[in-house]
Amino acid sequence: MPNDQPTRPAPLDPPMVPFAVAGLIAWAVVGLVLLVFFRGWLTEHDHENWLWTCLAGFLWGFPGLAVMLRHDANRRRRRAS
């Protein structure tokens, strides 16, 4: 029985900045939709913390974006060498 193993495919290494930007946009859009259209409902049902969660997700996206910018710079450097 031959020991021929199929070659492994190269690991995926996509650019990550678009994912970080999409996350920032998603948190911002959800927060704005809740603020504009559902503020009364959130107040009536004592769910104002949802707005704070959206704000936290948006703000935590900036350090994530910085990390992904550095990752993509390293990725470009790896591929250039």
Side-chain angles (χ1 to χ4, degrees):
M1 205 158 112
N3 279 340
D4 295 332
Q5 293 184 353
T7 58
R8 287 184 163 183
L12 294 177
D13 192 17
M16 298 303 289
V17 170
F19 293 105
V21 171
L24 279 166
I25 291 171
W27 280 115
V29 167
V30 170
L32 289 174
V33 166
L34 286 174
L35 186 64
V36 172
F37 297 110
F38 295 100
R39 178 130 192 196
W41 185 88
L42 292 172
T43 305
E44 289 171 11
H45 294 88
D46 199 29
H47 291 305
E48 294 94 0
N49 58 344
W50 291 8
L51 293 172
W52 291 108
T53 302
C54 291
L55 179 63
F58 178 74
L59 292 176
W60 274 108
F62 286 106
L65 178 61
V67 169
M68 293 304 108
L69 285 168
R70 187 172 31 176
H71 173 272
D72 283 356
N74 290 337
R75 175 181 170 269
R76 283 190 298 275
R77 210 173 2 257
R78 274 193 319 267
R79 288 181 177 226
S81 63

PDB file of all heavy atoms in Angstrom, residues 17-33 54 57-58 61-62:
ATOM      1  N   VAL A  17      -8.259  43.541   7.396  1.00  0.00           N
ATOM      2  CA  VAL A  17      -8.796  44.884   7.648  1.00  0.00           C
ATOM      3  C   VAL A  17     -10.262  44.994   7.233  1.00  0.00           C
ATOM      4  O   VAL A  17     -11.060  45.584   7.971  1.00  0.00           O
ATOM      5  CB  VAL A  17      -7.915  45.958   6.968  1.00  0.00           C
ATOM      6  CG1 VAL A  17      -8.572  47.325   7.014  1.00  0.00           C
ATOM      7  CG2 VAL A  17      -6.548  46.006   7.644  1.00  0.00           C
ATOM      8  N   PRO A  18     -10.684  44.437   6.096  1.00  0.00           N
ATOM      9  CA  PRO A  18     -12.111  44.544   5.752  1.00  0.00           C
ATOM     10  C   PRO A  18     -13.033  43.930   6.797  1.00  0.00           C
ATOM     11  O   PRO A  18     -14.128  44.434   7.037  1.00  0.00           O
ATOM     12  CB  PRO A  18     -12.218  43.809   4.417  1.00  0.00           C
ATOM     13  CG  PRO A  18     -10.862  43.875   3.828  1.00  0.00           C
ATOM     14  CD  PRO A  18      -9.912  43.839   4.989  1.00  0.00           C
ATOM     15  N   PHE A  19     -12.597  42.859   7.453  1.00  0.00           N
ATOM     16  CA  PHE A  19     -13.426  42.251   8.496  1.00  0.00           C
ATOM     17  C   PHE A  19     -13.555  43.180   9.702  1.00  0.00           C
ATOM     18  O   PHE A  19     -14.629  43.299  10.290  1.00  0.00           O
ATOM     19  CB  PHE A  19     -12.837  40.905   8.932  1.00  0.00           C
ATOM     20  CG  PHE A  19     -12.894  39.854   7.864  1.00  0.00           C
ATOM     21  CD1 PHE A  19     -11.759  39.496   7.171  1.00  0.00           C
ATOM     22  CD2 PHE A  19     -14.088  39.245   7.547  1.00  0.00           C
ATOM     23  CE1 PHE A  19     -11.812  38.533   6.181  1.00  0.00           C
ATOM     24  CE2 PHE A  19     -14.160  38.272   6.561  1.00  0.00           C
ATOM     25  CZ  PHE A  19     -13.015  37.927   5.873  1.00  0.00           C
ATOM     26  N   ALA A  20     -12.458  43.824  10.070  1.00  0.00           N
ATOM     27  CA  ALA A  20     -12.497  44.749  11.203  1.00  0.00           C
ATOM     28  C   ALA A  20     -13.372  45.959  10.875  1.00  0.00           C
ATOM     29  O   ALA A  20     -14.170  46.407  11.706  1.00  0.00           O
ATOM     30  CB  ALA A  20     -11.079  45.196  11.571  1.00  0.00           C
ATOM     31  N   VAL A  21     -13.253  46.474   9.670  1.00  0.00           N
ATOM     32  CA  VAL A  21     -14.067  47.627   9.264  1.00  0.00           C
ATOM     33  C   VAL A  21     -15.541  47.224   9.210  1.00  0.00           C
ATOM     34  O   VAL A  21     -16.415  47.996   9.650  1.00  0.00           O
ATOM     35  CB  VAL A  21     -13.584  48.184   7.906  1.00  0.00           C
ATOM     36  CG1 VAL A  21     -14.536  49.227   7.368  1.00  0.00           C
ATOM     37  CG2 VAL A  21     -12.182  48.760   8.051  1.00  0.00           C
ATOM     38  N   ALA A  22     -15.831  46.034   8.714  1.00  0.00           N
ATOM     39  CA  ALA A  22     -17.220  45.563   8.671  1.00  0.00           C
ATOM     40  C   ALA A  22     -17.800  45.446  10.078  1.00  0.00           C
ATOM     41  O   ALA A  22     -18.967  45.785  10.307  1.00  0.00           O
ATOM     42  CB  ALA A  22     -17.296  44.225   7.950  1.00  0.00           C
ATOM     43  N   GLY A  23     -17.002  44.986  11.027  1.00  0.00           N
ATOM     44  CA  GLY A  23     -17.466  44.906  12.408  1.00  0.00           C
ATOM     45  C   GLY A  23     -17.757  46.272  12.993  1.00  0.00           C
ATOM     46  O   GLY A  23     -18.773  46.469  13.677  1.00  0.00           O
ATOM     47  N   LEU A  24     -16.867  47.229  12.735  1.00  0.00           N
ATOM     48  CA  LEU A  24     -17.108  48.601  13.202  1.00  0.00           C
ATOM     49  C   LEU A  24     -18.409  49.153  12.622  1.00  0.00           C
ATOM     50  O   LEU A  24     -19.223  49.736  13.343  1.00  0.00           O
ATOM     51  CB  LEU A  24     -15.948  49.510  12.785  1.00  0.00           C
ATOM     52  CG  LEU A  24     -14.706  49.479  13.642  1.00  0.00           C
ATOM     53  CD1 LEU A  24     -13.548  50.142  12.922  1.00  0.00           C
ATOM     54  CD2 LEU A  24     -14.978  50.179  14.949  1.00  0.00           C
ATOM     55  N   ILE A  25     -18.588  48.957  11.331  1.00  0.00           N
ATOM     56  CA  ILE A  25     -19.790  49.471  10.673  1.00  0.00           C
ATOM     57  C   ILE A  25     -21.038  48.781  11.216  1.00  0.00           C
ATOM     58  O   ILE A  25     -22.062  49.434  11.460  1.00  0.00           O
ATOM     59  CB  ILE A  25     -19.670  49.315   9.141  1.00  0.00           C
ATOM     60  CG1 ILE A  25     -18.598  50.257   8.613  1.00  0.00           C
ATOM     61  CG2 ILE A  25     -21.003  49.563   8.461  1.00  0.00           C
ATOM     62  CD1 ILE A  25     -18.238  50.029   7.159  1.00  0.00           C
ATOM     63  N   ALA A  26     -20.957  47.477  11.428  1.00  0.00           N
ATOM     64  CA  ALA A  26     -22.115  46.737  11.932  1.00  0.00           C
ATOM     65  C   ALA A  26     -22.533  47.246  13.307  1.00  0.00           C
ATOM     66  O   ALA A  26     -23.719  47.486  13.556  1.00  0.00           O
ATOM     67  CB  ALA A  26     -21.809  45.246  11.985  1.00  0.00           C
ATOM     68  N   TRP A  27     -21.579  47.424  14.230  1.00  0.00           N
ATOM     69  CA  TRP A  27     -21.918  47.927  15.568  1.00  0.00           C
ATOM     70  C   TRP A  27     -22.492  49.343  15.487  1.00  0.00           C
ATOM     71  O   TRP A  27     -23.444  49.673  16.196  1.00  0.00           O
ATOM     72  CB  TRP A  27     -20.695  47.918  16.471  1.00  0.00           C
ATOM     73  CG  TRP A  27     -20.373  46.586  17.033  1.00  0.00           C
ATOM     74  CD1 TRP A  27     -19.273  45.838  16.794  1.00  0.00           C
ATOM     75  CD2 TRP A  27     -21.175  45.821  17.952  1.00  0.00           C
ATOM     76  NE1 TRP A  27     -19.346  44.665  17.492  1.00  0.00           N
ATOM     77  CE2 TRP A  27     -20.491  44.624  18.207  1.00  0.00           C
ATOM     78  CE3 TRP A  27     -22.397  46.035  18.567  1.00  0.00           C
ATOM     79  CZ2 TRP A  27     -20.989  43.648  19.069  1.00  0.00           C
ATOM     80  CZ3 TRP A  27     -22.888  45.060  19.414  1.00  0.00           C
ATOM     81  CH2 TRP A  27     -22.193  43.890  19.664  1.00  0.00           C
ATOM     82  N   ALA A  28     -21.917  50.174  14.608  1.00  0.00           N
ATOM     83  CA  ALA A  28     -22.410  51.548  14.480  1.00  0.00           C
ATOM     84  C   ALA A  28     -23.836  51.568  13.931  1.00  0.00           C
ATOM     85  O   ALA A  28     -24.701  52.291  14.445  1.00  0.00           O
ATOM     86  CB  ALA A  28     -21.481  52.352  13.579  1.00  0.00           C
ATOM     87  N   VAL A  29     -24.107  50.763  12.912  1.00  0.00           N
ATOM     88  CA  VAL A  29     -25.440  50.742  12.300  1.00  0.00           C
ATOM     89  C   VAL A  29     -26.476  50.221  13.292  1.00  0.00           C
ATOM     90  O   VAL A  29     -27.556  50.812  13.452  1.00  0.00           O
ATOM     91  CB  VAL A  29     -25.429  49.907  11.000  1.00  0.00           C
ATOM     92  CG1 VAL A  29     -26.831  49.611  10.523  1.00  0.00           C
ATOM     93  CG2 VAL A  29     -24.637  50.628   9.927  1.00  0.00           C
ATOM     94  N   VAL A  30     -26.156  49.131  13.972  1.00  0.00           N
ATOM     95  CA  VAL A  30     -27.111  48.580  14.939  1.00  0.00           C
ATOM     96  C   VAL A  30     -27.368  49.580  16.058  1.00  0.00           C
ATOM     97  O   VAL A  30     -28.517  49.788  16.472  1.00  0.00           O
ATOM     98  CB  VAL A  30     -26.597  47.234  15.505  1.00  0.00           C
ATOM     99  CG1 VAL A  30     -27.444  46.774  16.675  1.00  0.00           C
ATOM    100  CG2 VAL A  30     -26.584  46.181  14.419  1.00  0.00           C
ATOM    101  N   GLY A  31     -26.314  50.229  16.541  1.00  0.00           N
ATOM    102  CA  GLY A  31     -26.490  51.231  17.590  1.00  0.00           C
ATOM    103  C   GLY A  31     -27.353  52.398  17.141  1.00  0.00           C
ATOM    104  O   GLY A  31     -28.230  52.854  17.876  1.00  0.00           O
ATOM    105  N   LEU A  32     -27.115  52.872  15.918  1.00  0.00           N
ATOM    106  CA  LEU A  32     -27.916  53.984  15.409  1.00  0.00           C
ATOM    107  C   LEU A  32     -29.365  53.580  15.176  1.00  0.00           C
ATOM    108  O   LEU A  32     -30.282  54.363  15.464  1.00  0.00           O
ATOM    109  CB  LEU A  32     -27.296  54.539  14.122  1.00  0.00           C
ATOM    110  CG  LEU A  32     -25.998  55.311  14.312  1.00  0.00           C
ATOM    111  CD1 LEU A  32     -25.397  55.680  12.963  1.00  0.00           C
ATOM    112  CD2 LEU A  32     -26.224  56.552  15.155  1.00  0.00           C
ATOM    113  N   VAL A  33     -29.586  52.383  14.667  1.00  0.00           N
ATOM    114  CA  VAL A  33     -30.961  51.914  14.460  1.00  0.00           C
ATOM    115  C   VAL A  33     -31.685  51.821  15.800  1.00  0.00           C
ATOM    116  O   VAL A  33     -32.842  52.254  15.931  1.00  0.00           O
ATOM    117  CB  VAL A  33     -30.979  50.559  13.717  1.00  0.00           C
ATOM    118  CG1 VAL A  33     -32.332  49.897  13.788  1.00  0.00           C
ATOM    119  CG2 VAL A  33     -30.553  50.754  12.267  1.00  0.00           C
ATOM    120  N   CYS A  54     -23.604  48.353  22.090  1.00  0.00           N
ATOM    121  CA  CYS A  54     -23.234  48.762  20.732  1.00  0.00           C
ATOM    122  C   CYS A  54     -22.081  49.757  20.758  1.00  0.00           C
ATOM    123  O   CYS A  54     -21.150  49.669  19.943  1.00  0.00           O
ATOM    124  CB  CYS A  54     -24.433  49.380  20.011  1.00  0.00           C
ATOM    125  SG  CYS A  54     -25.720  48.188  19.627  1.00  0.00           S
ATOM    126  N   GLY A  57     -18.922  47.801  21.566  1.00  0.00           N
ATOM    127  CA  GLY A  57     -18.486  47.035  20.405  1.00  0.00           C
ATOM    128  C   GLY A  57     -17.829  47.911  19.362  1.00  0.00           C
ATOM    129  O   GLY A  57     -16.802  47.552  18.774  1.00  0.00           O
ATOM    130  N   PHE A  58     -18.397  49.090  19.149  1.00  0.00           N
ATOM    131  CA  PHE A  58     -17.823  50.034  18.190  1.00  0.00           C
ATOM    132  C   PHE A  58     -16.452  50.514  18.652  1.00  0.00           C
ATOM    133  O   PHE A  58     -15.487  50.510  17.887  1.00  0.00           O
ATOM    134  CB  PHE A  58     -18.787  51.211  17.997  1.00  0.00           C
ATOM    135  CG  PHE A  58     -18.271  52.265  17.068  1.00  0.00           C
ATOM    136  CD1 PHE A  58     -18.243  52.039  15.702  1.00  0.00           C
ATOM    137  CD2 PHE A  58     -17.828  53.482  17.547  1.00  0.00           C
ATOM    138  CE1 PHE A  58     -17.779  53.007  14.833  1.00  0.00           C
ATOM    139  CE2 PHE A  58     -17.361  54.458  16.696  1.00  0.00           C
ATOM    140  CZ  PHE A  58     -17.328  54.223  15.326  1.00  0.00           C
ATOM    141  N   GLY A  61     -13.717  48.041  18.504  1.00  0.00           N
ATOM    142  CA  GLY A  61     -13.326  47.751  17.130  1.00  0.00           C
ATOM    143  C   GLY A  61     -12.077  48.498  16.699  1.00  0.00           C
ATOM    144  O   GLY A  61     -11.341  48.030  15.826  1.00  0.00           O
ATOM    145  N   PHE A  62     -11.793  49.637  17.310  1.00  0.00           N
ATOM    146  CA  PHE A  62     -10.610  50.407  16.912  1.00  0.00           C
ATOM    147  C   PHE A  62      -9.309  49.707  17.298  1.00  0.00           C
ATOM    148  O   PHE A  62      -8.392  49.641  16.466  1.00  0.00           O
ATOM    149  CB  PHE A  62     -10.688  51.831  17.459  1.00  0.00           C
ATOM    150  CG  PHE A  62     -11.692  52.661  16.708  1.00  0.00           C
ATOM    151  CD1 PHE A  62     -12.911  52.974  17.282  1.00  0.00           C
ATOM    152  CD2 PHE A  62     -11.441  53.097  15.424  1.00  0.00           C
ATOM    153  CE1 PHE A  62     -13.849  53.710  16.591  1.00  0.00           C
ATOM    154  CE2 PHE A  62     -12.375  53.843  14.707  1.00  0.00           C
ATOM    155  CZ  PHE A  62     -13.582  54.140  15.303  1.00  0.00           C
TER     156      PHE A  62
END
